[in-house]
Amino acid sequence: MHSTTEQPHDIRISGGRVVSAFTGEEFAADVLLRGDTISGVLPPGAPGAARDHVDATGMLVVPGFVDAHMHIESSFLTPQTFAALTLARGTTTVLADPHEIVNVAGARAMRWMIEAGRGTPQTQLWGVPSCVPALEGLEHAGASLSADDIAELLRLPGVIALGEVMDYRAVVADDPRMRGIVAAARDQGVILDGHCPNLSGAELSAYMATGVDSDHTKNRTEVVLEKARMGMLMMLQEKCLLPETVEALLALPQLPPLCLVTDDLAADHILGAGHLDHIARVAVRAGLPAAAVLRALTWTPAQRLRLYDRGVVAPGKRADLVLLRGELVDFDPAVVFAGGREVAREGAAMYGTDEAAVRTGKEASTGAPDLGPLADTLAVEPQTADSFRWRVDLPDGTHRFRAMRVNSRDTYTEAAEIELPVRAGEVAWEGRTALVRVRNRYGRSGTVFAPLLGRTLTPGAVATTYAHDSHNLLTVGTSRAAMAAAAAAVVEDGGGVAVVHGEEVAARLPLPVGGVMSPDPAAEVARRSRVVRDALTGWGWEHLNPFMSVSTLTLAVSPSLKITDLSLVDVVRREPSGATTAG
Amino acid sequence: MHSTTEQPHDIRISGGRVVSAFTGEEFAADVLLRGDTISGVLPPGAPGAARDHVDATGMLVVPGFVDAHMHIESSFLTPQTFAALTLARGTTTVLADPHEIVNVAGARAMRWMIEAGRGTPQTQLWGVPSCVPALEGLEHAGASLSADDIAELLRLPGVIALGEVMDYRAVVADDPRMRGIVAAARDQGVILDGHCPNLSGAELSAYMATGVDSDHTKNRTEVVLEKARMGMLMMLQEKCLLPETVEALLALPQLPPLCLVTDDLAADHILGAGHLDHIARVAVRAGLPAAAVLRALTWTPAQRLRLYDRGVVAPGKRADLVLLRGELVDFDPAVVFAGGREVAREGAAMYGTDEAAVRTGKEASTGAPDLGPLADTLAVEPQTADSFRWRVDLPDGTHRFRAMRVNSRDTYTEAAEIELPVRAGEVAWEGRTALVRVRNRYGRSGTVFAPLLGRTLTPGAVATTYAHDSHNLLTVGTSRAAMAAAAAAVVEDGGGVAVVHGEEVAARLPLPVGGVMSPDPAAEVARRSRVVRDALTGWGWEHLNPFMSVSTLTLAVSPSLKITDLSLVDVVRREPSGATTAG
């Protein structure tokens, strides 16, 4: 038997050094591609004809990065523009949990996202959000998914996971609804993604007993170790990558399997700092050896996502490759291949997208989907100063009201109290406190007001439809007029963010795609995001991440006092917290 | 929300120390089981009622062992008795490649094996043999599997892999038949298991480019490193676990993923030395850290087999557990759980089997399968001294014949020559050389003789239907009468092994299940195997593993001169080697 004439390869990447995700070694090799597959990894100069050549001299050749836990909506971008932005940073595969947009528009939104991602060269796989709404009975989102709804969505092509089971308290308490949802997913054999900050001991055991076996939240170092020891796959995002945590992991008899993940990164952060490439650099700085970083970016997450065709530069595997400048510690993508195509070079996507089709809501010739169920998701009356009259069923006089107190460090909120006068059934709050209002934006009547303490604000307001997790219309301000101006601007934009200084709009980020995403290119979204951030800071909203601080005022699964369209919520007790206090 | 009344657990294993396959740590914990699942891993003494208790004081609790590459037939046992024997050694999951029995009886044998294994508490998963016959055109097996046949078998429940692609030379040469088989399996997305001793460089790249991505053969240390670097999953069996190989692996920037596998272990070896527990001890002795050994026995092979429900002692995972005596380096199973049931204790299986049903070929009340297509697989005429007349189409006189030369170290055979007289069309070999004969046993006419050199034998013979890979009737002896006695004994037994001293049968191991397996209990098979081995040694067949040395005389994919029912085979050139030499 003799070798037949060899088929020519399509591309030969020569002169580079391959880094093995298995052994951590760097070795000189030429990488050949045919179709969407790596057709050879050969000693430099070995025979093997190819139609095209790519010079990788001085570069490292590594597998495309795989993100095992993230939310596309956090970037404010659609799946199409997200793909273009992050492919350029080396992320060739993501498992996305469209938790935000499905809270807005339900199963139809899930289908839209999947369809939108299908046209890109990025492998976008999907988890079905497990907590829609996040807190059953204490808020109204735009949709509600039952166990049956979730079971149906789990059967869609491209869906491989139940999205992060964030209501871990309900799971631990064996709440029937969450039990049913997790069991339905388990029956289908999909990945069960977790979320359980600092859960430990018997409660951690109870949570894992349902089959949930990963966590991407921030844990104390000893809990990171406990979870890894217990067989929970630890997914580390930026805030988890503390030197003391990494040091403790490296001191174990052996390093457990690890994934590096992005979770929530906004477009301006990705453009400025990077995507998984950035997380990789953070991990290196925290002390994780470069070889372990590479494995946690590629092989381990690919195994987690049950993608056997990627995660290592090897013949026969999918040709998802990143050519890195400099040393492995730099993780600086110069050229990116996805499925055998060169899709990005020098930080810019190299393939065609038809964002215009998305922007106009029209079906374009390229087959890009229109906005469908994600157009016109704002069902709310015109916003005027009258909309911000806080009416109460109380006699005239001074009353004590429950207030939210925020801080400048994190998203923790706590209950406080403030005395305010009531006159003719209306709270006279202007000039005495800032006010927060949540208005249901899905055609329901829910409207809740509360005083907001902890900020020294100049006259102004912020309004947004990007408010975790139900994404109702959230407005915070110092006067009814300012709040009305901000809310009206958001309504006019079909959703988004608006910041008002005095009574004038100072910054706006339109998010007309379901009220949480923009059809615009990433650079434009990033620019507007920065303007919004600066306007919030200029208003007096002091915080490392001002917009996150605003958008989590409504996140009723995060301690300790939050506000929804139905009530103030005591998060720890999982029950309404009265707007007026006792006595 | 308050915790509901907790369901009671079925079993509580208390007092032991769990070893984490993730971190390598040992920690005191009680392990609770409910149904087939681990329902809790709790601090010792934590609340959690259970119906039954198991005392694990002083013991280590580890995951059930997972064997990612092995052949049940090598034990001479049926799937039922194999399960009983190896569960007692901690092996709770195997991926079995029924290469031997499918060469005997084709797709029907595959279905029989799957059905036979289904009734056991061991998870037996299956690969479809890729090379049936092993060497197309140079031997006749009892079956031949085309790419279409293989594609059909790959769809059977429990089938998850294409069995080891051992004809790697054909793959590298892009042989159309092997290309079609591998492509058919790849299209179905199953595991592609490899076999490519010392394949390296461009040839290794070509082999892997088909998608085959594991190897379990013995490689030189530098090839082990090359394959691991290239992203090939290395599976290490006993002969691979050399201290210098382990030392080289440990010197890498990071340890690549590894699996420990058994490949071919006979019943007497398993009873005497152990199964995967033995391989684990060999690995420890070779210098692999115990934590890495445990991971290579559990988590990594479970991931390889795409079994996400096992490989680590964690709540929510399948309750496949081994309680080990002593330290982790001893790997000494005391109690074994499979799917939440205690299935073995102190080295003995604890569940009912109905071996009688298998033995008699009758369907028993337990539903054990009868022998079906594996009964009466010997289609061969009565064996007499006349059967061993070596007739040739040569004139009277002395002629030079090609001979096989064996050695006492390994299974390598080489071509040699011998001059023998021919009289009246028959070679007068008796008293001048030992003779080997292969007789097709599937109703075909193929019969090939050759002189055998390299042994100093007393009068006698051996015959067997367990002769890799076609399992035709192989006989070696010093006289026609002795060979006839051995072959007749094997035929009488419906297949098996018989050793003759003088002209009397000295040892026999009946293998009536397809001519390669015994329906008897493991202890009986082991006892008879030892008698056969001793009889071979007593005859003068000097070898560390005498029976393997016999049964591989026919293995025409192993260098360098082998014999089939069609011809002597030059393995390296993959072509017939003339029985008489030129000139």
Side-chain angles (χ1 to χ4, degrees):
Chain A
M1 188 177 300
H2 299 283
S3 181
T4 57
T5 306
E6 203 185 359
Q7 264 188 286
H9 304 268
D10 292 330
I11 297 174
R12 184 171 189 130
I13 302 168
S14 54
R17 294 176 67 75
V18 171
V19 189
S20 172
F22 272 27
T23 66
E25 296 166 289
E26 297 178 11
F27 59 104
D30 289 1
V31 179
L32 295 107
L33 315 184
R34 186 186 298 130
D36 63 3
T37 302
I38 299 173
S39 45
V41 176
L42 297 174
R51 276 187 277 275
D52 289 314
H53 286 76
V54 172
D55 183 8
T57 303
M59 292 196 269
L60 299 174
V61 183
V62 301
F65 307 149
V66 180
D67 196 343
H69 182 89
M70 55 82 62
H71 309 275
I72 289 177
E73 304 96 303
S74 301
S75 69
F76 304 128
L77 304 176
T78 62
Q80 297 97 324
T81 45
F82 174 85
L85 178 63
T86 56
L87 277 169
R89 309 309 291 242
T91 304
T92 50
T93 300
V94 299
L95 172 60
D97 173 359
H99 175 74
E100 315 304 345
I101 194 66
V102 172
N103 263 289
V104 170
R108 296 168 306 153
M110 179 98 195
R111 294 174 197 271
W112 187 90
M113 292 291 278
I114 294 172
E115 193 55 40
R118 213 186 296 283
T120 81
Q122 187 172 60
T123 301
Q124 294 183 354
L125 297 166
W126 300 90
V128 178
S130 60
C131 303
V132 178
L135 212 52
E136 178 76 3
L138 291 172
E139 62 187 318
H140 280 134
S144 174
L145 295 189
S146 69
D148 286 348
D149 297 332
I150 287 171
E152 189 180 331
L153 289 172
L154 285 170
R155 284 187 280 268
L156 291 178
V159 174
I160 64 167
L162 182 68
E164 55 180 302
V165 181
M166 64 175 75
D167 196 356
Y168 59 96
R169 286 273 149 226
V171 173
V172 169
D174 202 24
D175 166 67
R177 178 169 177 270
M178 278 314 299
R179 185 177 60 210
I181 287 171
V182 175
R186 187 171 183 153
D187 286 348
Q188 291 198 34
V190 298
I191 295 165
L192 305 182
D193 194 34
H195 167 117
C196 56
N198 288 319
L199 200 67
S200 172
E203 291 190 329
L204 175 62
S205 177
Y207 184 67
M208 293 182 71
T210 63
V212 177
D213 60 0
S214 69
D215 185 35
H216 62 277
T217 66
K218 186 165 189 294
N219 296 283
R220 294 188 304 276
T221 293
E222 66 268 25
V223 179
V224 173
L225 299 185
E226 178 184 354
K227 286 177 172 171
R229 183 186 307 134
M230 288 279 283
M232 185 165 244
L233 180 60
M234 297 311 290
M235 300 180 169
L236 305 176
Q237 54 177 297
E238 180 164 6
K239 65 185 174 187
C240 307
L241 287 161
L242 307 178
E244 61 265 31
T245 301
V246 171
E247 186 182 2
L249 286 167
L250 292 173
L252 292 169
Q254 65 185 355
L255 197 63
L258 298 172
C259 295
L260 296 179
V261 299
T262 60
D263 200 4
D264 296 295
L265 292 184
D268 64 330
H269 185 285
I270 300 170
L271 264 174
H275 194 242
L276 275 175
D277 57 324
H278 166 67
I279 307 298
R281 288 186 292 270
V282 171
V284 167
R285 279 200 300 271
L288 200 62
V293 170
L294 183 67
R295 191 183 282 182
L297 275 182
T298 57
W299 177 252
T300 306
Q303 293 280 297
R304 170 67 179 175
L305 303 191
R306 307 176 183 179
L307 299 171
Y308 316 106
D309 65 350
R310 66 194 72 186
V312 60
V313 179
K317 299 299 178 195
R318 183 176 162 87
D320 286 357
L321 297 170
V322 185
L323 276 49
L324 297 174
R325 282 190 214 83
E327 302 300 314
L328 191 58
V329 296
D330 300 318
F331 287 96
D332 181 13
V335 184
V336 181
F337 290 84
R341 290 167 59 192
E342 184 178 321
V343 294
R345 184 171 277 263
E346 304 299 335
M350 300 281 286
Y351 62 93
T353 56
D354 192 347
E355 291 162 5
V358 179
R359 190 177 300 115
T360 59
K362 296 281 187 296
E363 189 74 23
S365 57
T366 58
D370 68 23
L371 286 192
L374 304 188
D376 305 321
T377 58
L378 227 62
V380 70
E381 66 286 347
Q383 297 293 298
T384 67
D386 277 350
S387 308
F388 293 88
R389 290 187 189 278
W390 181 10
R391 298 184 204 280
V392 291
D393 188 16
L394 291 169
D396 282 7
T398 296
H399 295 267
R400 186 176 292 270
F401 292 87
R402 181 84 70 212
M404 298 178 72
R405 181 180 297 280
V406 297
N407 69 55
S408 300
R409 299 178 310 277
D410 53 35
T411 61
Y412 186 81
T413 51
E414 61 187 336
E417 292 187 352
I418 184 171
E419 291 196 339
L420 293 170
V422 172
R423 286 196 198 93
E426 188 175 339
V427 182
W429 61 273
E430 287 180 297
R432 295 186 173 87
T433 181
L435 190 72
V436 53
R437 186 201 70 169
V438 175
R439 173 80 188 91
N440 183 283
R441 68 152 163 124
Y442 304 107
R444 292 173 183 264
S445 61
T447 309
V448 174
F449 291 89
L452 182 132
L453 310 180
R455 293 272 181 265
T456 306
L457 300 169
T458 58
V462 60
T464 183
T465 51
Y466 193 107
H468 297 281
D469 280 322
S470 291
H471 302 291
N472 283 308
L473 177 58
L474 166 69
T475 313
V476 184
T478 60
S479 72
R480 292 194 289 120
M483 292 174 82
V490 166
V491 171
E492 183 181 77
D493 286 341
V497 191
V499 181
V500 164
H501 287 175
E503 293 178 12
E504 298 297 321
V505 175
R508 63 208 289 175
L509 167 62
L511 300 172
V513 186
V516 298
M517 289 177 286
S518 166
D520 292 328
E524 174 64 9
V525 173
R527 189 188 65 74
R528 285 178 175 272
S529 298
R530 284 191 295 269
V531 172
V532 164
R533 184 182 59 211
D534 293 346
L536 280 168
T537 306
W539 178 39
W541 196 280
E542 292 292 342
H543 199 277
L544 186 68
N545 188 337
F547 181 68
M548 188 177 68
S549 166
V550 171
S551 64
T552 54
L553 294 174
T554 46
L555 182 58
V557 292
S558 173
S560 71
L561 183 78
K562 299 288 177 178
I563 184 168
T564 71
D565 64 323
L566 295 182
S567 70
L568 280 171
V569 174
D570 181 328
V571 175
V572 177
R573 299 168 62 95
R574 301 172 65 93
E575 61 186 27
S577 171
T580 45
T581 62
Chain B
M1 188 177 298
H2 299 282
S3 182
T4 57
T5 307
E6 204 183 359
Q7 265 188 284
H9 304 268
D10 293 330
I11 298 174
R12 184 171 188 130
I13 302 168
S14 54
R17 295 175 67 76
V18 171
V19 190
S20 172
F22 272 27
T23 67
E25 295 166 288
E26 297 178 10
F27 59 104
D30 289 1
V31 180
L32 295 107
L33 316 184
R34 186 185 297 129
D36 63 3
T37 301
I38 299 173
S39 45
V41 176
L42 295 175
R51 276 188 278 275
D52 290 314
H53 286 76
V54 172
D55 183 7
T57 302
M59 291 196 269
L60 299 175
V61 183
V62 301
F65 307 150
V66 181
D67 196 343
H69 181 90
M70 55 83 60
H71 310 276
I72 289 177
E73 303 96 303
S74 301
S75 69
F76 303 128
L77 304 176
T78 62
Q80 296 97 324
T81 44
F82 174 85
L85 178 62
T86 56
L87 278 168
R89 309 310 291 243
T91 303
T92 50
T93 300
V94 300
L95 171 60
D97 173 0
H99 175 73
E100 314 305 346
I101 194 65
V102 172
N103 263 288
V104 171
R108 295 169 307 153
M110 179 99 196
R111 294 174 197 271
W112 187 91
M113 293 291 278
I114 295 172
E115 192 55 40
R118 213 186 296 283
T120 80
Q122 188 173 61
T123 302
Q124 294 183 354
L125 297 166
W126 300 90
V128 178
S130 59
C131 302
V132 178
L135 212 53
E136 177 76 3
L138 292 173
E139 63 186 317
H140 278 135
S144 173
L145 294 189
S146 69
D148 286 348
D149 297 331
I150 287 171
E152 189 179 331
L153 289 173
L154 285 170
R155 283 187 282 268
L156 291 177
V159 174
I160 64 168
L162 181 68
E164 56 179 304
V165 181
M166 65 176 72
D167 196 356
Y168 59 95
R169 287 274 149 227
V171 173
V172 169
D174 202 24
D175 166 68
R177 179 170 177 268
M178 279 314 301
R179 185 177 60 211
I181 287 171
V182 176
R186 187 172 183 154
D187 286 349
Q188 291 198 35
V190 298
I191 296 165
L192 305 182
D193 194 34
H195 165 117
C196 56
N198 288 319
L199 200 67
S200 171
E203 290 189 328
L204 175 62
S205 176
Y207 185 66
M208 294 182 71
T210 64
V212 177
D213 58 1
S214 69
D215 186 36
H216 61 277
T217 66
K218 186 165 190 292
N219 296 281
R220 293 188 304 276
T221 294
E222 67 267 26
V223 179
V224 172
L225 299 186
E226 178 185 353
K227 285 177 172 171
R229 183 187 307 134
M230 288 280 283
M232 186 164 243
L233 180 61
M234 296 313 290
M235 299 179 169
L236 305 177
Q237 54 177 297
E238 181 165 4
K239 65 185 174 188
C240 308
L241 287 162
L242 308 177
E244 62 265 31
T245 301
V246 171
E247 185 181 4
L249 286 167
L250 292 173
L252 292 168
Q254 65 186 355
L255 196 64
L258 298 172
C259 295
L260 296 179
V261 300
T262 60
D263 200 3
D264 296 296
L265 291 185
D268 63 332
H269 185 285
I270 300 170
L271 264 174
H275 194 242
L276 274 176
D277 56 323
H278 166 66
I279 308 297
R281 288 185 292 270
V282 171
V284 167
R285 279 200 300 273
L288 200 61
V293 170
L294 183 67
R295 192 183 282 182
L297 276 182
T298 57
W299 177 251
T300 305
Q303 292 281 297
R304 170 66 177 177
L305 303 190
R306 306 177 183 179
L307 299 172
Y308 316 107
D309 65 349
R310 67 195 72 185
V312 61
V313 179
K317 298 300 178 192
R318 183 176 163 87
D320 286 357
L321 297 171
V322 185
L323 276 48
L324 298 174
R325 282 189 214 82
E327 302 300 314
L328 191 58
V329 296
D330 299 318
F331 288 95
D332 181 13
V335 185
V336 181
F337 290 85
R341 291 168 58 191
E342 184 179 322
V343 294
R345 185 171 277 264
E346 303 302 333
M350 301 280 286
Y351 63 92
T353 56
D354 191 347
E355 291 163 5
V358 179
R359 190 178 299 116
T360 59
K362 295 281 187 300
E363 188 75 22
S365 59
T366 58
D370 68 22
L371 287 190
L374 304 188
D376 305 320
T377 57
L378 227 62
V380 71
E381 66 286 347
Q383 298 292 298
T384 68
D386 277 351
S387 308
F388 292 89
R389 290 187 190 278
W390 181 10
R391 298 184 204 280
V392 291
D393 187 18
L394 290 169
D396 283 6
T398 296
H399 294 267
R400 184 177 294 270
F401 292 86
R402 181 85 70 210
M404 298 178 72
R405 181 181 296 280
V406 296
N407 69 54
S408 299
R409 297 179 311 276
D410 53 33
T411 60
Y412 186 82
T413 51
E414 61 188 336
E417 292 187 352
I418 184 172
E419 290 195 339
L420 293 170
V422 172
R423 288 195 195 96
E426 187 175 340
V427 182
W429 61 273
E430 287 180 298
R432 295 186 173 88
T433 180
L435 189 73
V436 53
R437 186 201 70 168
V438 175
R439 171 80 187 91
N440 183 284
R441 68 152 162 124
Y442 304 107
R444 292 174 183 264
S445 61
T447 309
V448 175
F449 292 90
L452 182 131
L453 311 179
R455 294 271 181 266
T456 306
L457 300 169
T458 59
V462 61
T464 182
T465 50
Y466 193 106
H468 297 281
D469 280 323
S470 290
H471 303 290
N472 282 307
L473 177 57
L474 167 69
T475 312
V476 185
T478 60
S479 72
R480 292 194 288 121
M483 292 174 83
V490 166
V491 171
E492 185 181 76
D493 286 341
V497 190
V499 182
V500 165
H501 288 175
E503 292 178 15
E504 298 298 320
V505 174
R508 63 208 289 175
L509 168 62
L511 299 172
V513 187
V516 298
M517 290 178 284
S518 167
D520 292 328
E524 173 64 9
V525 173
R527 189 188 65 73
R528 286 178 175 271
S529 298
R530 284 190 295 268
V531 173
V532 163
R533 185 183 59 212
D534 293 347
L536 281 168
T537 306
W539 177 39
W541 196 281
E542 293 292 342
H543 198 277
L544 185 68
N545 189 337
F547 182 68
M548 188 177 68
S549 167
V550 171
S551 65
T552 54
L553 294 174
T554 45
L555 182 58
V557 292
S558 173
S560 72
L561 183 77
K562 300 288 177 178
I563 182 168
T564 71
D565 64 323
L566 295 183
S567 70
L568 281 171
V569 174
D570 180 329
V571 175
V572 178
R573 299 167 63 96
R574 301 173 65 93
E575 62 186 26
S577 170
T580 45
T581 61

